[in-house]
Amino acid sequence: MLKLKKVISMFLAMAMCLGMAACSTPGQKQEPVKPADAAAETPAETAPDKKVLRYSLLADAPTLDPQLMNSIPSSTVGFHIYEGLMRNHIGEIQPGMAESYEISEDGKTYTFHLRDAKWSDGVEIKAADYEYAMRRLVDPATASDYSFLVTSLIKNAGDINAGKMAVEELGVKAVDDKTLTIELNNPTGYFLSMLSMSQLCPVRQDLVEKYGKDFSADADKNVYSGPFIVKEWKHEDRIILEKNPNYWNAGEIKLDEVHILTVADPMTAVAMFEQGELDQVNVPAEVLENYKDKVIYYNDGANDFMKLNMDGSCELSNKDLRLAINYALNREDYILLSSQNLYQPNTRYVLPQVKGVNGDYGDEYPYEAFPLKGDAAKAKEHLAKAMEELGVTDPAAIDVELLTTDAERTRIEAEVLQNQIQTALGITVTIRQVPYKQRLQMESDHEFEMVVTGWVPDYPDPMSYLELWPTGSPYNHGSYSSEVYDGYIKDALTNTDPVKRMEALFNAEKTLLEDGGIVPLQLRRNAMLINPKVEGFETYFVGINYDYLYADIAE
Amino acid sequence: MRKYIFKRVIISFVTIWVLATIVFILVRLMPGDPFSSDKMTPEIKANIESYYGFDKPLIEQYFTYMKNIVKGDFGYSMKYVNQSVNKIIADSFPYSFDLGMRALSLSISLGLVFGIIAALYRGKQLDYVCVIIAIIGTSVPDFIIGAMLQYFFGIKWGLFPVAQYQGIKHTILPSIALGFYTMAMVSRLMRASMLEVVQQDYIKTAKSKGISKFRITYKHQIRNAIMPVVTVLGPTVASVLTGTFVIESIYAIPGMGKYYVQSVQNLDYSLILGMTIFYGAFLVLANMIVDILYGVIDPRIRVSGR
């Protein structure tokens, strides 16, 4: 017995040695656990005089190369490290690198006068840096997927992007070191609001050429023109921004540092917020109930709807059937069942928060295309007409496939939709779930009947949504085609009178919905918790989701 | 022995080449493509495809890729556009390796101890305790163990940091969560194997020779019983060291596991390929080491004798 105890204690001792050895050897030799990080271990105690804002992302920013950015997390960081000609601060257009600007009488030529300012490495910022950046964006060799922002906007951008014209032909010219002109295809009122998008922000030709593909791959492989610089970027772990002393408006910037941590699990992020390790966090729908009184809701611009295929390959080419589906849905129930009321039911197409003539579009043009709770009588009426036109007697003979992605949330959404449509109309709805990337491809290949999809705006104007549906538009995956609609869009593109233009856009929206061109579903909302000490942390719904430009931490 | 190792190395390279080829074909067969997005237009897609050389015939792409692999160049990620796959692996693998080493040393040592105790005290209370721990470890999935450890030790009692990988303190919870399953598996295997060995004739012989119980246990029983454990360690070590998606997500650790899963979701061809080849090479290496270890532990299969 005694010997046995010896054996056991020997093994235990061995185990402990092994365990301890493991704790000391790799840990101290490996990079991840550097003593330099010890300060970050207790974030609450990091130099009390420093003002630090900490928030998290579900996945690391895929890139910080301004022209290659194609995701909201990336461009949110980009917004704070690069300086556009103008600044769009939650919808308010403020001067950026341009001190002043003039617009030609036809509204197509913009002349910007740049202020004296320096890159974070002390080199002067020149108009040529903007010219180079915008050429780089549309150059097919750059292969930027966000070149679509300007391909129909800036003169010759489309042809250059399609490889039909030299990049020097772009309608962007550095007249001298401090003057830049930009020529547009059409007078475009919202153009100024787009200029703070990272994709249109300057880069330095010498550095792009020096680093090649690795440009901006790490904190030290780029220089910065905006209010913050990237001090450290540990991929999939943290991005640390530091106030840029060279920034032209540095006096207005109050934060010393911004820590952007990658936390893949939203529940972990909530836990870190609870422990005081984060200042802001988005609460997932599953636990929203626990935080109901503390959260602040904000729209991130995402608008979910169903695209319907109208190219003649299925019954949905029938307008009455499309309208029947639209009237059949009880969108309030749908929201309750699919997102526990985190999202908002929606029966129109354009995000109400985008800019109208003076105020918000939704306030200026209120509209409810279909009742939120649905209208069973109208649904039946349209169904009867549709059946007659389609020549069927049994509604169950109408069989449509509902395509969606294979995520848990989208499965629940699809099941609620399937149930509501089948119950109200008696038609057959089959759900098909595929991986996200496959859904996107099937959409653009027009290989679907009904698909749950969405859109986020690229500029705060109804056109950002409505440009999808003109006949022949590359995003018109449903093959919607209406001369009336096309007419309104054409009018809006060329009309210089802001009121008439907005009316044309509203009429286009109405036409699309009255034709049952889409099935509007929901506006996505986020519920965030924020440290009460943080002031001026704003959310926005175009291009970026957070704006902490002028944020401050109260003492 | 040297000849054997040489042969194994050759076979390993062939294995990895076959793996690379199969995965190269399989990723292309997956529906969808890496560049699909809500806002993609045909012109822009064409630009991106020609940028990555996708406009060339597949066979040409294959040879280009293989040539680059031989040079040790896995290309650039298609999602993290400025990051080379080599860099991503070099950045993320140390985290997974560090965490994996901690988890393994903890789980293997404790697993062996529990297994041996359980076997020696078979049918007694200590045995039941060990068996219960092992059952919990094998049947409760890691995301539950991970989340529970995080909740109790991190949030409720505040003993350890909730997440991130910053210092020794941060490594404890994820190491336990990651190692729990391996520990349970090792202890179950060890217990079963110990009980089997104790029936063997050589143990009876040793007993009849009057050798002390300690010596029998230590020299004969454990040494022989450990073989099956060593067998499973090869693949286990490889998979634990190259990272796990769940634990890395829960504890916000920038390891390889997360990249691996996300690369498949994103259809990031070059990253999927690079990670698979790296993981495959690691697995092959671990198995080779295990095979060589057999010879060291068990003289009967000392390979040099062949």
Side-chain angles (χ1 to χ4, degrees):
Chain A
M1 200 57 210
L2 199 93
K3 275 174 187 166
L4 259 176
K5 273 189 187 155
K6 248 190 198 167
V7 176
I8 293 161
S9 57
M10 200 186 76
F11 262 94
L12 278 173
M14 244 173 70
M16 281 167 76
C17 287
L18 259 170
M20 262 153 43
C23 284
S24 53
T25 28
Q28 279 163 7
K29 281 180 195 160
Q30 293 289 323
E31 240 191 279
V33 193
K34 272 188 292 190
D37 295 332
E41 199 174 336
T42 46
E45 290 158 28
T46 37
D49 47 326
K50 261 195 195 170
K51 291 182 170 180
V52 182
L53 170 74
R54 300 155 304 168
Y55 72 97
S56 72
L57 303 174
L58 291 175
D60 196 10
T63 179
L64 291 182
D65 178 332
Q67 275 77 49
L68 293 182
M69 284 186 178
N70 60 3
S71 73
I72 302 277
S74 279
S75 39
T76 299
V77 177
F79 181 80
H80 295 90
I81 56 177
Y82 303 120
E83 186 74 353
L85 292 162
M86 305 300 285
R87 274 238 165 245
N88 180 350
H89 175 59
I90 51 168
E92 186 195 330
I93 314 297
Q94 302 174 342
M97 194 53 71
E99 233 165 7
S100 61
Y101 63 89
E102 293 120 34
I103 307 174
S104 67
E105 241 168 64
D106 63 359
K108 289 191 192 175
T109 307
Y110 286 68
T111 308
F112 296 95
H113 303 284
L114 274 58
R115 63 182 82 245
D116 287 319
K118 287 192 169 80
W119 290 94
S120 55
D121 65 347
V123 174
E124 196 191 346
I125 299 176
K126 294 179 181 164
D129 298 330
Y130 285 87
E131 182 195 62
Y132 176 70
M134 293 185 199
R135 284 180 179 179
R136 182 169 179 255
L137 177 66
V138 295
D139 189 344
T142 311
S144 163
D145 49 0
Y146 253 62
S147 51
F148 77 85
L149 274 181
V150 296
T151 42
S152 58
L153 191 69
I154 298 180
K155 194 180 153 197
N156 295 340
D159 284 340
I160 295 166
N161 194 242
K164 290 184 214 152
M165 214 182 246
V167 74
E168 289 75 23
E169 301 290 316
L170 185 69
V172 178
K173 291 274 176 307
V175 179
D176 56 45
D177 277 357
K178 293 292 168 197
T179 315
L180 186 82
T181 60
I182 300 181
E183 279 178 86
L184 306 181
N185 288 327
N186 294 305
T188 311
Y190 54 82
F191 180 59
L192 287 176
S193 75
M194 291 175 73
L195 286 169
S196 57
M197 300 188 78
S198 302
Q199 290 85 358
L200 300 174
C201 285
V203 285
R204 278 255 297 279
Q205 186 169 3
D206 56 331
L207 297 179
V208 173
E209 281 162 7
K210 179 178 169 193
Y211 292 113
K213 271 191 159 181
D214 293 323
F215 173 69
S216 218
D218 290 302
D220 55 356
K221 292 195 176 113
N222 197 353
V223 289
Y224 308 95
S225 48
F228 296 94
I229 61 169
V230 183
K231 183 182 165 195
E232 189 189 347
W233 186 10
K234 258 162 100 188
H235 298 281
E236 277 298 308
D237 187 45
R238 59 189 53 224
I239 300 173
I240 294 188
L241 307 184
E242 189 181 48
K243 188 173 168 174
N244 178 4
N246 279 351
Y247 182 54
W248 67 268
N249 202 11
E252 290 295 307
I253 307 302
K254 295 173 196 93
L255 293 175
D256 295 302
E257 280 186 10
V258 182
H259 295 188
I260 304 155
L261 309 179
T262 302
V263 181
D265 187 330
M267 291 306 300
T268 300
V270 173
M272 289 173 75
F273 178 86
E274 296 259 20
Q275 299 296 99
E277 291 171 28
L278 289 174
D279 295 311
Q280 184 270 357
V281 74
N282 287 325
V283 181
E286 299 91 299
V287 292
L288 187 56
E289 199 58 43
N290 307 344
Y291 298 95
K292 259 217 153 119
D293 309 324
K294 296 182 212 156
V295 294
I296 300 168
Y297 290 99
Y298 69 93
N299 282 94
D300 58 11
N303 170 1
D304 291 340
F305 51 89
M306 281 196 280
K307 279 182 191 166
L308 309 172
N309 197 337
M310 295 165 261
D311 66 1
S313 60
C314 70
E315 291 99 332
L316 291 165
S317 300
N318 186 289
K319 180 177 155 182
D320 281 297
L321 180 62
R322 300 197 299 263
L323 288 173
I325 292 172
N326 262 311
Y327 279 111
L329 293 180
N330 181 336
R331 290 168 174 84
E332 280 184 359
D333 285 356
Y334 163 77
I335 290 295
L336 175 69
L337 292 169
S338 63
S339 76
Q340 289 85 47
N341 284 337
L342 175 60
Y343 296 163
Q344 289 171 303
N346 183 36
T347 67
R348 71 185 301 173
Y349 174 52
V350 174
L351 190 78
Q353 286 95 330
V354 299
K355 277 245 177 317
V357 181
N358 297 309
D360 285 356
Y361 173 77
D363 296 335
E364 291 177 3
Y365 297 93
Y367 181 47
E368 199 171 77
F370 312 99
L372 277 180
K373 285 185 179 299
D375 185 334
K378 272 204 167 146
K380 282 262 154 63
E381 205 178 291
H382 283 291
L383 178 69
K385 259 198 229 167
M387 283 166 61
E388 201 184 301
E389 285 153 13
L390 291 168
V392 293
T393 46
D394 179 13
I398 300 176
D399 187 345
V400 284
E401 188 181 81
L402 173 56
L403 179 67
T404 191
T405 47
D406 54 5
E408 175 70 4
R409 182 177 64 79
T410 50
R411 180 183 62 79
I412 296 170
E413 286 175 355
E415 283 175 355
V416 177
L417 293 171
Q418 177 192 42
N419 180 274
Q420 288 196 359
I421 297 170
Q422 290 196 150
T423 314
L425 302 177
I427 66 173
T428 314
V429 177
T430 328
I431 295 174
R432 175 162 179 206
Q433 286 187 282
V434 297
Y436 177 63
K437 286 278 182 185
Q438 188 183 355
R439 192 208 85 199
L440 290 172
Q441 196 177 39
M442 290 173 74
E443 247 177 82
S444 54
D445 291 348
H446 299 226
E447 281 173 15
F448 64 93
E449 297 188 349
M450 210 158 49
V451 58
V452 183
T453 181
W455 191 256
V456 287
D458 300 301
Y459 43 91
D461 186 90
M463 188 63 102
S464 189
Y465 291 91
L466 294 165
E467 69 182 347
L468 266 70
W469 300 107
T471 311
S473 146
Y475 310 114
N476 189 345
H477 301 140
S479 306
Y480 173 69
S481 183
S482 153
E483 274 177 31
V484 184
Y485 184 87
D486 295 355
Y488 286 130
I489 295 297
K490 212 171 158 192
D491 188 18
L493 277 174
T494 47
N495 207 321
T496 44
D497 180 281
V499 179
K500 283 196 179 130
R501 175 178 176 274
M502 204 51 71
E503 255 161 36
L505 289 171
F506 177 60
N507 283 328
E509 184 189 12
K510 253 172 74 179
T511 309
L512 176 72
L513 290 165
E514 281 166 6
D515 282 343
I518 59 157
V519 181
L521 294 174
Q522 64 198 7
L523 301 178
R524 289 206 205 168
R525 269 196 318 186
N526 289 294
M528 73 170 180
L529 292 168
I530 190 149
N531 178 351
K533 280 190 174 172
V534 176
E535 294 163 358
F537 184 96
E538 309 282 359
T539 60
Y540 195 48
F541 55 89
V542 184
I544 60 170
N545 46 12
Y546 309 133
D547 180 338
Y548 38 84
L549 216 50
Y550 308 119
D552 199 358
I553 313 283
E555 296 301 320
Chain B
M1 187 76 170
R2 211 177 290 161
K3 207 173 144 196
Y4 172 74
I5 293 176
F6 180 73
K7 214 167 88 186
R8 283 297 302 262
V9 170
I10 298 291
I11 294 172
S12 303
F13 275 108
V14 174
T15 312
I16 292 165
W17 169 70
V18 171
L19 173 76
T21 307
I22 292 175
V23 179
F24 184 89
I25 297 165
L26 283 181
V27 290
R28 299 306 178 101
L29 290 179
M30 283 199 283
D33 73 76
F35 315 118
S36 293
S37 83
D38 282 322
K39 309 207 163 173
M40 188 57 70
T41 67
E43 291 81 20
I44 294 171
K45 200 166 184 175
N47 288 340
I48 297 177
E49 281 177 348
S50 91
Y51 180 82
Y52 285 101
F54 281 24
D55 48 350
K56 301 201 177 80
L58 196 62
I59 190 81
E60 194 184 326
Q61 293 179 42
Y62 172 76
F63 282 116
T64 314
Y65 187 76
M66 286 299 157
K67 242 192 313 195
N68 288 335
I69 291 188
V70 172
K71 283 188 249 163
D73 174 11
F74 288 121
Y76 278 76
S77 160
M78 290 161 185
K79 166 90 179 170
Y80 303 91
V81 283
N82 319 98
Q83 309 288 327
S84 69
V85 174
N86 296 49
K87 185 167 172 285
I88 290 177
I89 294 175
D91 282 349
S92 61
F93 178 61
Y95 287 92
S96 294
F97 186 80
D98 182 80
L99 175 64
M101 282 306 280
R102 288 162 199 275
L104 280 176
S105 42
L106 192 80
S107 60
I108 294 173
S109 47
L110 282 183
L112 287 178
V113 171
F114 286 158
I116 291 165
I117 293 176
L120 294 180
Y121 288 89
R122 188 185 183 184
K124 305 224 174 80
Q125 256 173 358
L126 255 179
D127 181 21
Y128 292 131
V129 172
C130 292
V131 168
I132 287 170
I133 294 176
I135 289 173
I136 293 174
T138 37
S139 52
V140 180
D142 52 357
F143 61 87
I144 294 193
I145 291 184
M148 276 176 55
L149 288 176
Q150 185 186 52
Y151 178 71
F152 286 109
F153 290 92
I155 301 171
K156 228 172 164 192
W157 303 327
L159 297 173
F160 294 104
V162 170
Q164 299 262 303
Y165 211 65
Q166 306 290 339
I168 300 289
K169 243 179 136 181
H170 291 76
T171 66
I172 294 171
L173 292 184
S175 305
I176 297 173
L178 179 59
F180 209 70
Y181 174 81
T182 311
M183 184 202 76
M185 184 191 69
V186 167
S187 83
R188 282 181 56 187
L189 256 177
M190 191 63 191
R191 178 178 180 275
S193 172
M194 286 279 285
L195 293 177
E196 198 188 305
V197 165
V198 89
Q199 311 280 333
Q200 300 290 326
D201 290 343
Y202 53 79
I203 301 283
K204 283 180 199 154
T205 314
K207 266 189 198 159
S208 62
K209 272 161 84 183
I211 297 173
S212 71
K213 202 168 178 193
F214 170 79
R215 226 178 124 79
I216 294 175
T217 312
Y218 176 66
K219 255 211 124 159
H220 299 285
Q221 203 181 350
I222 293 178
R223 190 157 179 189
N224 281 294
I226 212 160
M227 290 306 292
V229 178
V230 174
T231 311
V232 297
L233 279 187
T236 307
V237 166
S239 77
V240 169
L241 289 187
T242 47
T244 45
F245 176 71
V246 172
I247 299 296
E248 287 174 9
S249 294
I250 294 178
Y251 291 100
I253 299 164
M256 247 181 84
K258 241 174 11 180
Y259 274 108
Y260 201 12
V261 172
Q262 282 164 2
S263 69
V264 178
Q265 284 163 357
N266 295 327
L267 292 186
D268 190 339
Y269 293 162
S270 39
L271 193 55
I272 298 175
L273 269 163
M275 292 251 162
T276 311
I277 293 167
F278 182 80
Y279 176 72
F282 209 84
L283 187 68
V284 166
L285 184 74
N287 276 334
M288 200 163 90
I289 291 171
V290 164
D291 285 354
I292 293 166
L293 265 184
Y294 279 152
V296 177
I297 298 167
D298 191 341
R300 281 172 305 180
I301 39 175
R302 197 153 283 166
V303 276
S304 57
R306 263 195 236 166

